[in-house]
Amino acid sequence: VQLVESGGGLVQPGESLRLACAASGFALNAYGMAWGRQAPGKGIDWVALINDRGDRPAYADSVKGRFAISKDNARSTLYLQMNNLKPEDTARYFCAKYPGTYAGGHYDARGQGTQVTVST
């Protein structure tokens, strides 16, 4: 199992980014997935979850209405569309795989992450 994130960068408040997580070694459409983030000195903040089929996303209140998680099973890629970014969204973002069809319990694999910085 390998998860490789990309798409991070430095943006100004109000701008958008789309993160991608390239998955290999397993069938993306068979497992729940999630995007988490972690800022220096803070714990993991799970911002978006999605089930195996990709039809039941869920979001943290802090990003609801601004972020969208999706799966492209044909490309074996998980996405996180982030709109109207705020300085408090600054963190290292990573994707995680869960052992079941929903993103519940503890993940069993995660990527190294990609840095997102929102600043003027």
Side-chain angles (χ1 to χ4, degrees), residues 6-21 35 37 47 63 66-70 78-87 89-93 114-119:
S6 61
L10 172 63
V11 296
Q12 295 189 348
E15 293 186 338
S16 298
L17 279 175
R18 188 175 78 155
L19 305 183
C21 169
W35 283 98
R37 64 187 182 187
V47 297
V63 306
R66 300 189 296 123
F67 289 14
I69 186 172
S70 62
L78 178 75
Y79 296 101
L80 184 68
Q81 177 67 43
M82 305 187 296
N83 299 326
N84 189 23
L85 282 160
K86 303 177 180 180
D89 295 318
T90 295
R92 191 163 187 85
Y93 286 70
T114 183
Q115 179 67 34
V116 172
T117 303
V118 185
S119 175

Side-chain angles (χ1 to χ4, degrees), residues 5 34-38 44 46 92-96 110-111 113:
E5 300 91 341
W35 283 98
R37 64 187 182 187
Q38 190 166 23
I44 295 173
W46 294 102
R92 191 163 187 85
Y93 286 70
F94 61 91
C95 60
R110 60 173 278 185

Side-chain angles (χ1 to χ4, degrees), residues 25-110:
F26 67 101
L28 187 64
N29 62 359
Y31 297 94
M33 300 289 293
W35 283 98
R37 64 187 182 187
Q38 190 166 23
K42 295 189 176 182
I44 295 173
D45 180 20
W46 294 102
V47 297
L49 315 174
I50 196 164
N51 63 326
D52 54 339
R53 292 187 306 271
D55 58 356
R56 292 190 179 182
Y59 302 95
D61 287 344
S62 59
V63 306
K64 201 171 292 183
R66 300 189 296 123
F67 289 14
I69 186 172
S70 62
K71 284 184 171 183
D72 185 335
N73 291 320
R75 289 183 169 83
S76 197
T77 302
L78 178 75
Y79 296 101
L80 184 68
Q81 177 67 43
M82 305 187 296
N83 299 326
N84 189 23
L85 282 160
K86 303 177 180 180
E88 52 265 42
D89 295 318
T90 295
R92 191 163 187 85
Y93 286 70
F94 61 91
C95 60
K97 172 191 171 292
Y98 287 77
T101 55
Y102 286 87
H106 200 277
Y107 59 85
D108 60 4
R110 60 173 278 185

